[in-house]
Amino acid sequence: IQQLFNLFKELSTDKKREVGKELNVLSKYAEEVYRSTKIELEEMATSSSDLDLTLPGIQDFIGSEHSVRQTIKQMIEIFKKMGFSVAEGPEVEDEYHNFDALNFPPNHPARDMQDTFFIENKFDTVVLRTHTSPVQIRMMENVKPPIRAIMPGRVYRNETLDSTHLAEFHQIEGLYIDKNVTMAELKATMMHFARVMYGEDIEFRFRASFFPFTEPSAELDIRTKYSNKWMEIVGCGMVHPNVLKAGGIDPEEYSGYAFGFGVERITMAKTQLDDIRKLYENDVRVLSQF
């Protein structure tokens, strides 16, 4: 505005009358805005406020994916690289797919109410699946060999809760069916998985075992450099001929192997947790480590 007044001196007498009036209006307006703004800022500076500017800032806590979900993703990636696809199935199953087709005899203890959650149904016997093996039967019924797939999912058993058992947990099972599949291929697959998941320096051992749906059957134990204890991580074996027949596959022409991992136990071995219940107690001190 002061620069405009300096230029005002150079105007003619007629122009000075016209421009001078407008300059005076502009000057008074600017002075009034300055004065009112100054008063407002001074009042704000002296007024009390609930905001304490000396307090530290509020930290944003970023969550992380649950360690069990991390393990599932890692396991899926390992088996995908070995040529396995991923299949899923219902968590509420009929008794045929959960037991009968998997060669469980009618009097098998797993059918008892102490081990299985049965659902009231007037038309059929329905259960919360006790393993993801029913997905294997459904694949055999709908897919012609060769079949190479894993089946991740949640399963349910009427277990007493302790440091190694839950009533609701996760499994990843696998199935490979083709001509001339051997036990040696099964062992090589399990050993490769264990080395990729836990490192080349782990120890492992196969123990003979029994499962109604495989014959012969085995369990794989591992021991890491962080622990002197052996931990069983997978049950496996060659698919029983009766199971192949139930899935509509000729056991004289095809053979195969199957395996089943408890994801929580895999996570325990990987994270060195000593109690499976710690995974689901929502203790931030535990979960924030992963």
Side-chain angles (χ1 to χ4, degrees), residues 136-152:
Q136 298 182 20
I137 299 297
R138 294 182 181 278
M139 282 207 71
M140 286 187 279
E141 290 174 339
N142 296 283
V143 180
K144 293 182 179 181
I147 299 171
R148 189 193 292 263
I150 57 172
M151 302 86 184

Side-chain angles (χ1 to χ4, degrees), residues 5-251:
F5 273 107
N6 292 335
L7 294 172
F8 175 76
K9 299 175 184 178
E10 302 174 5
L11 297 176
S12 65
T13 303
D14 293 337
K15 285 287 186 183
K16 283 182 179 179
R17 292 193 188 99
E18 182 182 350
V19 176
K21 182 180 179 181
E22 299 297 332
L23 277 177
N24 288 329
V25 173
L26 176 61
S27 177
K28 290 179 179 179
Y29 172 76
E31 288 176 358
E32 178 61 27
V33 171
Y34 171 78
R35 187 187 64 80
S36 61
T37 304
K38 182 180 179 181
I39 294 173
E40 182 180 350
L41 292 175
E42 288 174 347
E43 290 177 348
M44 290 175 59
T46 58
S47 64
S48 61
S49 173
D50 294 334
L51 178 62
D52 187 350
L53 298 179
T54 65
L55 292 175
I58 299 174
Q59 182 179 357
D60 289 330
F61 292 96
I62 301 176
S64 60
E65 192 171 36
H66 195 279
S67 55
V68 172
R69 297 303 308 173
Q70 292 181 31
T71 301
I72 291 174
K73 283 188 175 181
Q74 186 178 1
M75 293 175 69
I76 288 175
E77 287 303 311
I78 292 173
F79 283 110
K80 275 186 174 180
K81 291 178 179 179
M82 287 192 279
F84 286 82
S85 61
V86 179
E88 295 182 345
E91 294 182 15
V92 179
E93 270 289 3
D94 57 70
E95 194 171 22
Y96 172 78
H97 285 92
N98 198 80
F99 292 124
D100 298 340
L102 290 164
N103 203 37
F104 281 84
N107 59 347
H108 195 278
R111 295 175 182 258
D112 195 289
M113 284 293 293
Q114 295 179 351
D115 294 303
T116 304
F117 290 106
F118 286 84
I119 298 175
E120 292 185 7
N121 187 303
K122 65 176 74 173
F123 303 107
D124 198 1
T125 303
V126 181
V127 302
L128 293 180
R129 66 181 181 187
T130 58
H131 42 197
T132 55
S133 301
V135 187
Q136 298 182 20
I137 299 297
R138 294 182 181 278
M139 282 207 71
M140 286 187 279
E141 290 174 339
N142 296 283
V143 180
K144 293 182 179 181
I147 299 171
R148 189 193 292 263
I150 57 172
M151 302 86 184
R154 187 180 287 107
V155 298
Y156 308 86
R157 293 181 189 174
N158 197 0
E159 299 270 14
T160 300
L161 304 185
D162 58 30
S163 61
T164 57
H165 294 88
L166 293 171
E168 177 184 340
F169 54 98
H170 297 79
Q171 280 189 342
I172 289 185
E173 298 200 12
L175 177 69
Y176 175 42
I177 297 177
D178 202 349
K179 295 181 179 180
N180 303 316
V181 178
T182 66
M183 187 75 175
E185 292 177 89
L186 168 60
K187 292 179 68 176
T189 302
M190 297 297 96
M191 290 164 60
H192 175 74
F193 168 82
R195 289 193 177 107
V196 174
M197 179 62 89
Y198 299 106
E200 292 288 340
D201 55 350
I202 69 162
E203 297 179 80
F204 47 82
R205 66 185 183 187
F206 284 91
R207 293 180 289 104
S209 186
F210 169 78
F211 304 108
F213 36 84
T214 55
E215 180 60 38
S217 304
E219 291 180 329
L220 173 62
D221 300 332
I222 66 164
R223 185 166 61 182
T224 69
K225 61 182 179 181
Y226 303 105
S227 174
N228 291 324
K229 296 181 179 179
W230 289 96
M231 177 177 285
E232 180 261 318
I233 62 168
V234 62
C236 55
M238 302 301 293
V239 180
H240 197 288
N242 291 344
V243 176
L244 291 173
K245 290 178 182 177
I249 295 176
D250 185 1

